[in-house]
Amino acid sequence: MAIHERLYSRLADPPRARGQSPALAISRYGARYATRGWFTKLVLFGSYAPALVFCFIIYLANQNPDQVPQAVSMLSQGQHVFDDVASITDEAWYRICGIMLWSLLSIQGWLALFLTPLVGAHQIADDLRSHAFEVYLARPISSWDYLFGKLLVVMRPVLQVMLVPTFLVMIMASAFLEGSFGACWTMFPRVLVAVLIWSLVNAMVILGISSMGKSSRYATIIWFVASFGTFLLSVLLGQTTGQPLFDLIGLQQNLYFVLWEFIEFQPFEIRELPVLDVQREVWPSVVILASLTTLSGWLVMRRIASGRLP
Amino acid sequence: MSHPDLSNPIDSTAPIISAKGLTLTYGKSLRALDGLDVSIPAGCHGLLGPNGAGKSTLIKVLLGLLAPDDGSGTVLGRDVRKERTEVRRRVGYMPERDAHVPSMLALDYVAMMGNLSGMRSVAATKRAHEVLHYVDLGEARYRPVDGFSAGMRQRLKLAAAIVHDPDLLFLDEPTNGLDPQGRRYMLDLIGELSRSNISILVSTHLLPDVQEVCSRVVVVNKGRVTNEGLVSELTRGLDRQYDVRFVGDSGPFLQALETRGVECHFDPTAGSLRIMVPDGGTRPVLEAAAETGTGLKHLAQGSRSLEEVFLESIEEGADGHS
């Protein structure tokens, strides 16, 4: 190794207090590496498959106007049957849209369940294991910057899985199913808010779990216990006791309840399923999700405080 | 080149680091800092001390990572308790341990550190290229950090510490785990950084490294500063102490010296003689040599190694503490 030939040069414009947002910096570089694994990419790209099926049905209906009633029936899972397009009222379109989005988001929600640990389990655990935490601590960032940065890293792919395919289907429906846009345009902001809440809860919970130790593997296991495990437990208890009230145990069910509320989905067709208490109010789910999110946030902040970020 | 941060200028006459009565106790009884007082001017300084002396704790307090129980401290004129964020914006820190984001490319890692220090992303990326070339990692900048050797990792940490062009650098064991060539290169880099108007505080156990790159040292033991000053002053021998090399029989020569009131410390295996002359200077030595027919090969004022200074400081500190 030769003695270096380049001289050190000072910056003409040194960083100032109001420069780049540290949260955005953490998010940008974190997101670049969070979705690098082949399995993560498979889940991300695979998440478009259900939406493409929906889009294909809508496109075919557009190409064959006679088959629009049949397509609408398919999209509404057989709940709405019409003889011709003209007989579909705005109210019916709205309900059809709700059922269609419910079906799609149910699938996307499960994909998000698998994607969340893939991108989130290692976020804080790896920082602890590799001492990268020390590097963040020595920079002029606050605890909130770190938390928001990491939240954005996890929320971004979850939003990608849930929001992009849903909006794709909604745009296709608005463009190709005449009369649907006028009746259903309010679904866009509703879905947006619902999915934001969904991804926020998922991201915060996985970060809370990730901050509990240095192993992303254990974090993944705990996540599946907290999400899939509670889902199975609630179904099991519901089936055994005949009391659907146990759906309160499941993280996934509570998320579905909130989504349900936002898109004003009328759950008549799944009333037979004992895994969800369709009669109950949404607020118990809101309280449970808010508590989980707060608890997870507290876990992360406690971990940061041990290293003393300002 | 002076730092052009005109909105927030640094007073060059003020100490870059000052601490008064810093006290910090871990748990109930482990006192890491015990009323530490220090004032360090701009320049390159060595922070010396045995394991557990309080060096790392002092750096963490100065970075605002630990809050002292008592006392106050400033870094670049900023209060380490109240202005932690501002202190960190102007300070670069190279930790002792490997601290990188797994699987991240070297370029992204350094650019992210610039970004986190408040640089715009484009400027941070441009600067990351520059500093990686500067530490001779230009060829490796698109490689994941995980595959780097120990020397490369040390230089990467240095690049991350200087990416935002700090006014003060804390280097914790910068030559740790390096081979002689890598150590030489790292010391060259540190030397050049100190000549670029960046103040540096090097915490290390390797005294030759300090002697080579630092102009001043601060010796810490048991949470207190036991010695500090310019390396040249600390290693200068006492006024009446001389090193002598001679040709001839040592017995009569030593006897002649002692009869003239010269205190002798002779190492027969090394053949070295260290003497403490009386107030009159070296005249008794020359007389003794002439009297015994001894040929003087070397007679010069003695000097102490930094290691001797360090060990004396530690002993004094221990005595003072007890």
Side-chain angles (χ1 to χ4, degrees):
Chain A
M1 195 188 310
I3 298 294
H4 58 283
E5 293 165 359
R6 295 170 188 82
L7 292 175
Y8 180 77
S9 59
R10 308 282 324 246
L11 278 176
D13 185 20
R16 290 170 193 276
R18 294 201 175 274
Q20 173 73 49
S21 158
L24 289 180
I26 293 173
S27 148
R28 182 167 55 253
Y29 288 100
R32 200 175 286 177
Y33 290 89
T35 53
R36 279 205 158 181
W38 66 269
F39 190 64
T40 312
K41 281 181 180 156
L42 186 73
V43 174
L44 273 174
F45 288 112
S47 70
Y48 289 90
L52 290 176
V53 172
F54 278 73
C55 289
F56 188 62
I57 293 169
I58 293 167
Y59 176 74
L60 283 183
N62 177 260
Q63 295 299 305
N64 306 288
D66 297 344
Q67 293 183 4
V68 171
Q70 195 183 342
V72 167
S73 174
M74 281 175 73
L75 293 172
S76 66
Q77 298 196 344
Q79 295 301 320
H80 292 270
V81 181
F82 302 95
D83 293 331
D84 58 274
V85 185
S87 62
I88 306 176
T89 62
D90 278 359
E91 191 188 346
W93 269 125
Y94 193 80
R95 287 170 65 81
I96 291 162
C97 194
I99 297 169
M100 182 180 76
L101 292 179
W102 167 251
S103 313
L104 180 63
L105 284 167
S106 299
I107 302 167
Q108 303 307 111
W110 283 106
L111 288 168
L113 183 142
F114 285 96
L115 185 69
T116 303
L118 286 174
V119 295
H122 59 87
Q123 285 300 328
I124 298 178
D126 275 6
D127 281 354
L128 293 170
R129 187 165 47 82
S130 65
H131 311 301
F133 216 54
E134 201 172 331
V135 171
Y136 289 112
L137 295 175
R139 300 283 157 181
I141 66 171
S142 69
S143 314
W144 293 105
D145 288 327
Y146 182 81
L147 178 63
F148 285 137
K150 292 290 182 186
L151 257 182
L152 289 175
V153 172
V154 186
M155 281 177 74
R156 196 186 291 193
V158 176
L159 281 174
Q160 193 181 331
V161 159
M162 297 199 71
L163 205 59
V164 178
T166 311
F167 273 11
L168 186 69
V169 170
M170 288 171 75
I171 290 166
M172 280 291 285
S174 301
F176 290 119
L177 295 178
E178 200 177 329
S180 64
F181 180 74
C184 302
W185 69 268
T186 55
M187 280 293 182
F188 280 93
R190 285 168 179 276
V191 165
L192 178 66
V193 175
V195 169
L196 275 173
I197 292 172
W198 189 302
S199 57
L200 174 70
V201 172
N202 270 15
M204 191 62 100
V205 170
I206 193 67
L207 287 180
I209 294 170
S210 180
S211 72
M212 288 163 67
K214 295 181 181 178
S215 166
S216 55
R217 195 169 295 173
Y218 286 132
T220 307
I221 292 168
I222 295 171
W223 164 261
F224 278 112
V225 170
S227 54
F228 199 61
T230 54
F231 173 79
L232 287 179
L233 184 67
S234 69
V235 171
L236 195 67
L237 286 171
Q239 292 277 13
T240 345
T241 62
Q243 293 288 329
L245 190 68
F246 286 107
D247 64 10
L248 279 170
I249 298 171
L251 171 67
Q252 202 75 349
Q253 286 97 319
N254 285 306
L255 286 167
Y256 279 131
F257 257 94
V258 174
L259 173 69
W260 185 330
E261 186 71 13
F262 269 97
I263 63 173
E264 294 185 330
F265 172 60
Q266 304 293 320
F268 45 81
E269 77 277 15
I270 57 166
R271 197 167 287 174
E272 306 305 319
L273 285 174
V275 293
L276 287 171
D277 181 5
V278 296
Q279 302 295 338
R280 75 168 166 85
E281 297 288 320
V282 72
W283 66 263
S285 291
V286 173
V287 170
I288 287 170
L289 293 180
S291 308
L292 258 179
T293 309
T294 310
L295 174 69
S296 306
W298 176 79
L299 283 172
V300 178
M301 293 305 262
R302 191 190 61 150
R303 174 61 78 181
I304 297 170
S306 66
R308 289 194 70 84
L309 275 171
Chain B
M1 182 178 164
S2 61
H3 203 292
D5 188 359
L6 299 175
S7 64
N8 219 350
I10 298 163
D11 183 359
S12 59
T13 58
I16 52 161
I17 297 170
S18 80
K20 196 163 177 58
L22 274 185
T23 305
L24 190 139
T25 308
Y26 289 120
K28 287 181 179 174
S29 57
L30 185 59
R31 182 155 284 200
L33 297 180
D34 188 9
L36 184 139
D37 294 320
V38 72
S39 178
I40 301 176
C44 188
H45 306 266
L47 182 62
L48 304 177
N51 289 333
K55 303 188 300 290
S56 297
T57 305
L58 176 61
I59 289 180
K60 283 178 182 170
V61 169
L62 294 175
L63 276 170
L65 301 179
L66 292 172
D69 303 328
D70 198 11
S72 60
T74 61
V75 172
L76 299 166
R78 306 283 169 188
D79 192 306
V80 295
R81 282 174 189 262
K82 297 173 186 164
E83 299 170 284
R84 285 183 286 186
T85 309
E86 188 55 28
V87 167
R88 290 176 195 173
R89 192 181 310 286
R90 303 168 80 175
V91 170
Y93 173 52
M94 177 181 169
E96 180 185 0
R97 294 184 296 194
D98 279 341
H100 61 268
V101 182
S103 76
M104 196 175 254
L105 302 183
L107 179 68
D108 283 346
Y109 175 73
V110 178
M112 184 175 83
M113 292 301 122
N115 242 196
L116 290 179
S117 296
M119 298 175 79
R120 300 270 170 199
S121 50
V122 175
T125 306
K126 184 168 171 266
R127 176 73 173 170
H129 283 283
E130 276 176 29
V131 292
L132 283 167
H133 276 293
Y134 175 68
V135 299
D136 204 31
L137 286 176
E139 299 284 317
R141 64 193 193 276
Y142 292 110
R143 279 170 49 190
V145 179
D146 309 59
F148 278 17
S149 67
M152 291 167 85
R153 285 180 190 212
Q154 287 295 91
R155 281 181 280 137
L156 180 75
K157 284 192 285 179
L158 181 65
I162 61 175
V163 65
H164 59 299
D165 191 22
D167 297 310
L168 171 63
L169 264 179
F170 289 129
L171 306 180
D172 203 352
E173 306 285 354
T175 54
N176 216 8
L178 298 183
D179 59 24
Q181 203 177 16
R183 175 183 161 270
R184 173 79 269 138
Y185 192 80
M186 180 60 80
L187 292 177
D188 282 347
L189 288 173
I190 296 170
E192 191 181 302
L193 285 169
S194 69
R195 287 190 293 276
S196 304
N197 216 14
I198 295 178
S199 294
I200 302 175
L201 186 67
V202 184
S203 169
T204 182
H205 296 286
L206 302 172
L207 302 178
D209 291 358
V210 172
Q211 202 152 10
E212 188 165 337
V213 295
C214 300
S215 55
R216 289 176 66 95
V217 290
V218 175
V219 184
V220 178
N221 190 29
K222 297 191 173 173
R224 287 181 173 182
V225 173
T226 54
N227 204 349
E228 62 177 314
L230 290 169
V231 174
S232 55
E233 283 178 4
L234 292 173
T235 54
R236 190 195 301 158
L238 301 173
D239 286 344
R240 294 185 293 121
Q241 184 176 288
Y242 286 82
D243 288 330
V244 183
R245 286 202 298 275
F246 60 92
V247 183
D249 195 356
S250 61
F253 181 52
L254 293 176
Q255 199 173 3
L257 285 172
E258 281 168 1
T259 53
R260 287 171 171 80
V262 177
E263 192 182 323
C264 302
H265 301 278
F266 182 57
D267 182 356
T269 50
S272 65
L273 174 63
R274 178 165 283 185
I275 60 172
M276 191 73 81
V277 298
D279 289 340
T282 55
R283 191 176 180 84
V285 184
L286 300 173
E287 286 173 357
E291 183 185 305
T292 56
T294 306
L296 288 177
K297 286 170 66 182
H298 173 85
L299 176 64
Q301 199 164 30
S303 62
R304 298 183 299 168
S305 68
L306 195 56
E307 191 173 340
E308 286 174 301
V309 175
F310 174 70
L311 291 172
E312 282 170 20
S313 304
I314 299 304
E315 285 164 12
E316 283 166 19
D319 294 343
H321 209 73
S322 60

